[in-house]
Amino acid sequence: MKAAFSKTTEAEDTHAMNYEEFHRWSIDDPEGFWGEQAQLIHWNKPPQKVRDYSNPPFCKWFVGGETNLCYNAVDRHLADRADQNALIYISTETDETVVYSYAELYREVNRFAAVLQSLGVGKGDRVIIYMPMIAEALFSILACARIGAIHSVVFGGFAAYNLAVRIDDAKPKVMVTSDAGMRGGKAVPYKHLVDESCNLAKFPPEKVVICNRGLDKGLTLVEGRDLDYATLRAQHMDAEVPVVWLESNEPSYILYTSGTTGIPKGVQRDVGGYAVALASTMKHLYHINPGETMFATSDIGWVVGHSYIVYAPLINGSPTIFYEGLPIRPDPGIWWKIVNEYQVRTMFSSPTAVRVLKSQDQKYMTEHDVSCLRYLFLAGEPLDEPTSRWISDALKIPVIDHYWQTETGWPMLSYLPGVDLKPNRFGSPGFPVYGYNIRVIDEGTGAEVPRGEKGVLVVEPPLPPGCLSTVWGDDKRFVQSYFSSFKDLLYTSSDWAVRDEDGYFFILGRTDDVINVAGHRLGTREIEEAIQSHSAVAEVAVIGVADKVKGQVPVGFCRLKDPSQLDAAGATEKMEKEIIAKVQELLGAVAKPHNIHFVSALPKTRSGKLLRRSIQALAEGRDPGDLSTLDDPNSLEEVRRAIGQH
Ligand code: PRX
């Protein structure tokens, strides 16, 4: 057997390689390539085999290797970086800044790991983390990783129903939450949503740990279940909790994401592959040295938060900025102030956030010296040319559009400044990242489409390290959702793409019913189900409509059981408000429809399938496309009329 870590000749001279050579190496010699990358992390026991692909499409990476994400993110740096900044927590909501060194982070993580153990949490147990962007959320994540517990962070903007669905799928032993988050200076209570979700769920957690920030004066505790974070922490001040070493392929976390059904999928991640993939991106892609600061403006509830606020910077020995607040409060210069103050080198944000800044007074772009910043990476939704031009002109640094998904955990298409930075082409997130063998194929035939033609972006399996290893508790769904769209075994991204003559990729939107609102991924089916639960609604279609700032917004088309309910003056507006409120109540503000149109029929095919793409085209003023399968031509007129009326 070939040694997992034997250095190849290429590896010794990585940086002499151009992009094409580097990518080719990763595809032609995955064992050599990833064996080399694996040296970027600490292994308690080195892997015996780089890759085991004996059971496609499932793939095991770094088989037999033992490691731990928390050890790599924290303990490993104590020798050289104990006093260096690790976590820079800044809240412009509560006006607090707390900086933790690696040594302090180590202490806090150990304390909370001991708390979890005292509550009976051990290897393989699930812990749901439903928290705002506060330091304790990061301690909880790393504490789980330390003891081999599987964390599942649920985005704080989701409401009780969403939370309950995830609880029932993950069956957590413990949930960690907070009394409230803050947004725009207002407290957003969390705890009562947790209570509601525990009532709705079939498998509620035994214990709920509440980090009380004193923001919710009406906070009530459930006897025997609810515990106070600070009190528990105080009982474990000197705790030293040994790291639980995990085989590389054991699960580290579950992150739920939307798909084509109303039930979110639990993306399951491994340990070793994830650590290696993230560490490699810090070097080759985000091009950031240990000790240099990273600022990702996402939220821990999303994949960008997991990978590039929590794990990757810390694994790299880089301080990470953990920001609670809006980009425009106290003023639209706040991010640049932070960049300057903490000498941020690499920043990661979303096109929506940049569009928000673009609509503000331009003086805020020049108030702070941001010459320390080398790159701004953007992802999560299409980056339009005006936004990209505006921000690159303002910052005078490379603004890098890159593309990936919750499923992959790290970038699939990008430019690689750490290897060979190719000239930017507006609208393109660049080229396949090393490890990904990407093709654009015809939706019907599965054959590769010629350059310049639209097709579905697919990855030839096995997926590289760090991508989802399966869907939590449902291997069948993993295969069905991601590997069953074509006659060949291929991972489907469910995105349309084009590759131009020079190899640059362009992403043209989803092939399924997933929409992207302000960079947040939402399933239209989930929103439809929430609307459907309003007793007046007979049927509904939700689509994503183009929006100047948010990229897309959800819009609903509803048929009521009794249309005469709208006859009275003001009844339409009242019903629209009620339905929007219902979505907010069940799913959270993030999923709130922008508006609801009432129609007497919805466009469907003769077999009863909703023609969402045609409705979307009409709503965006485009041609509705092929209507040969339309059942009732009247329904299209109905949609036109409803849009015109609004
Ligand atoms: O449709 C693509 C879009 O966002 C989806 C993935 O969203 P999520 O799972 O939340 O992961 C976001 C990780 C950054 C993709 O299927 N998307 C992501 N990046 C881009 C993009 N669309 C266009 N351009 C991008 N750079």
Side-chain angles (χ1 to χ4, degrees), residues 283-300:
K283 184 172 172 188
H284 307 305
L285 204 153
Y286 297 104
H287 201 209
I288 177 163
N289 296 307
E292 292 176 332
T293 307
M294 175 136 188
F295 180 13
T297 67
S298 183
D299 183 284
I300 44 152

Side-chain angles (χ1 to χ4, degrees), residues 473-484:
D474 201 344
D475 286 350
K476 249 199 209 136
R477 198 169 174 204
F478 171 70
V479 179
Q480 259 160 18
S481 307
Y482 298 110
F483 293 93
S484 306

Side-chain angles (χ1 to χ4, degrees), residues 163-459:
L163 188 52
V165 170
R166 287 155 175 77
I167 290 174
D168 280 341
D169 196 70
K171 302 185 182 65
K173 206 163 200 171
V174 167
M175 169 136 58
V176 192
T177 187
S178 176
D179 59 335
M182 287 265 282
R183 204 176 150 77
K186 285 197 206 94
V188 186
Y190 276 39
K191 171 60 171 50
H192 77 95
L193 297 176
V194 169
D195 293 341
E196 227 175 292
S197 70
C198 288
N199 289 337
L200 286 170
K202 283 199 212 74
F203 305 97
E206 291 159 26
K207 300 284 177 205
V208 175
V209 181
I210 300 133
C211 183
N212 191 353
R213 311 171 77 191
L215 297 176
D216 181 4
K217 302 290 172 241
L219 184 73
T220 52
L221 300 184
V222 174
E223 194 59 44
R225 186 198 70 185
D226 292 353
L227 300 159
D228 178 50
Y229 189 107
T231 311
L232 295 172
R233 173 181 176 270
Q235 293 162 6
H236 298 278
M237 290 308 278
D238 301 321
E240 295 267 353
V241 176
V243 160
V244 174
W245 298 109
L246 300 168
E247 198 278 336
S248 178
N249 294 280
E250 291 187 84
S252 58
Y253 72 73
I254 309 167
L255 178 57
Y256 288 92
T257 192
S258 302
T260 43
T261 70
I263 305 152
K265 284 179 286 218
V267 163
Q268 179 179 319
R269 201 87 66 203
D270 69 358
V271 180
Y274 188 50
V276 170
L278 293 184
S280 77
T281 58
M282 294 307 273
K283 184 172 172 188
H284 307 305
L285 204 153
Y286 297 104
H287 201 209
I288 177 163
N289 296 307
E292 292 176 332
T293 307
M294 175 136 188
F295 180 13
T297 67
S298 183
D299 183 284
I300 44 152
W302 304 109
V303 69
V304 176
H306 283 65
S307 294
Y308 294 106
I309 297 177
V310 181
Y311 286 117
L314 294 176
I315 289 174
N316 196 52
S318 289
T320 181
I321 307 264
F322 204 83
Y323 178 70
E324 180 186 44
L326 301 175
I328 49 168
R329 250 180 117 257
D331 65 54
I334 179 64
W335 281 357
W336 315 120
K337 181 169 182 279
I338 293 172
V339 166
N340 169 277
E341 211 159 309
Y342 296 97
Q343 292 293 292
V344 173
R345 175 180 164 101
T346 296
M347 194 166 163
F348 185 151
S349 193
S350 69
T352 292
V354 176
R355 286 191 288 265
V356 168
L357 294 179
K358 186 166 168 255
S359 63
Q360 307 292 316
D361 190 331
Q362 297 311 293
K363 73 173 189 204
Y364 293 107
M365 293 305 296
T366 48
E367 268 187 333
H368 304 277
D369 175 4
V370 293
S371 53
C372 54
L373 198 62
R374 278 288 293 278
Y375 310 103
L376 171 65
F377 284 85
L378 299 172
E381 54 179 317
L383 173 62
D384 55 288
E385 184 167 339
T387 303
S388 182
R389 271 191 198 282
W390 174 78
I391 191 73
S392 15
D393 287 349
L395 296 175
K396 298 183 184 62
I397 54 168
V399 170
I400 300 181
D401 182 10
H402 64 329
Y403 159 90
W404 47 294
Q405 309 183 303
T406 303
E407 287 82 351
T408 62
W410 58 284
M412 303 160 78
L413 297 173
S414 185
Y415 300 82
L416 293 183
V419 178
D420 166 22
L421 183 59
K422 297 258 192 204
N424 177 51
R425 193 160 286 184
F426 283 110
S428 167
F431 308 90
V433 173
Y434 52 86
Y436 292 95
N437 193 357
I438 293 183
R439 287 198 245 142
V440 181
I441 64 169
D442 183 275
E443 186 185 24
T445 64
E448 199 148 352
V449 297
R451 297 278 174 118
E453 278 185 28
K454 175 177 165 179
V456 181
L457 186 144
V458 296
V459 183

Side-chain angles (χ1 to χ4, degrees), residues 552-565:
Q552 282 187 307
V553 288
V555 170
F557 289 80
C558 273
R559 182 170 71 76
L560 296 187
K561 288 175 189 157
D562 175 9
S564 71
Q565 276 190 293

